[in-house]
Amino acid sequence: MKYKLIIDKDAEEEIIAIVHAPSSLTQEIEDLVHNFSGADYIIGHHEEEIRKLPFGEIECITVIDRKVFAIDTKGNRFALKDRLRELEDILPSYFIRINKSTLANEHRIQRFDAVFSGGIDAVFQCGYREYVSRRCFAEIRRRYEGI
């Protein structure tokens, strides 16, 4: 496979991929191209601090007490001004819905744990836990079985 990147500020941006057959890689490339909004971060607020949060440093985005928060790799909570539905449209495809009020960075999920009540929790690398709804877990399972 060959790879070529040409950076020309005067040219119109375009991406061309020539492949023998569609694959999971071509699907991932297509998702990246269609979902890319030009930014790879969101702005979060924590006390007096305002910070750019790169997508890769976000464990999950969740609603707590009717406010939207991003939880970073250190477990810090940053308040966001956007609604969850709006964020879902701009986040990369590796952010998956795990329940009605949480989007998770699937690259940062360490494991899934069964809990006594019969449910399942997603455990993130920073130690944060969030429950996974049955409907969303069925979709996640289908996604992983397709690999």
Side-chain angles (χ1 to χ4, degrees):
M1 180 185 297
K2 294 180 184 178
Y3 172 76
K4 187 180 203 180
L5 175 66
I6 301 169
I7 298 175
D8 183 354
K9 292 181 181 180
D10 298 327
E12 181 182 352
E13 289 184 342
E14 72 176 326
I15 296 175
I16 299 172
I18 302 171
V19 297
H20 295 284
S23 67
S24 60
L25 175 63
T26 59
Q27 183 61 46
E28 193 170 332
I29 292 169
E30 186 175 349
D31 290 345
L32 282 170
V33 171
H34 289 299
N35 292 333
F36 184 68
S37 65
D40 58 351
Y41 63 88
I42 54 178
I43 302 294
H45 306 270
H46 179 70
E47 296 174 1
E48 299 299 316
E49 177 185 9
I50 298 174
R51 189 171 142 214
K52 286 182 182 179
L53 299 169
F55 294 151
E57 291 182 17
I58 298 172
E59 301 270 312
C60 69
I61 297 173
T62 189
V63 177
I64 302 170
D65 295 329
R66 302 180 106 179
K67 295 178 185 164
V68 180
F69 291 93
I71 298 172
D72 73 358
T73 55
K74 295 177 184 151
N76 299 320
R77 291 182 184 177
F78 290 87
L80 305 176
K81 294 195 179 204
D82 297 316
R83 294 176 184 253
L84 203 60
R85 180 69 63 196
E86 295 165 349
L87 292 167
E88 193 172 24
D89 292 338
I90 64 167
L91 290 168
S93 61
Y94 55 84
F95 277 86
I96 57 175
R97 187 170 286 279
I98 61 170
N99 63 46
K100 189 172 110 177
S101 60
T102 304
L103 298 170
N105 180 343
E106 75 176 322
H107 298 178
R108 304 291 306 171
I109 296 174
Q110 190 172 40
R111 67 182 183 276
F112 293 100
D113 279 350
V115 292
F116 291 116
S117 64
I120 296 175
D121 281 356
V123 180
F124 294 90
Q125 292 177 14
C126 73
Y128 182 76
R129 299 174 76 93
E130 185 66 51
Y131 82 95
V132 180
S133 71
R134 284 187 224 141
R135 183 173 39 120
C136 291
F137 189 69
E139 178 61 35
I140 292 167
R141 181 181 285 156
R142 278 193 291 276
R143 187 174 178 151
Y144 284 125
E145 287 172 352
I147 293 176

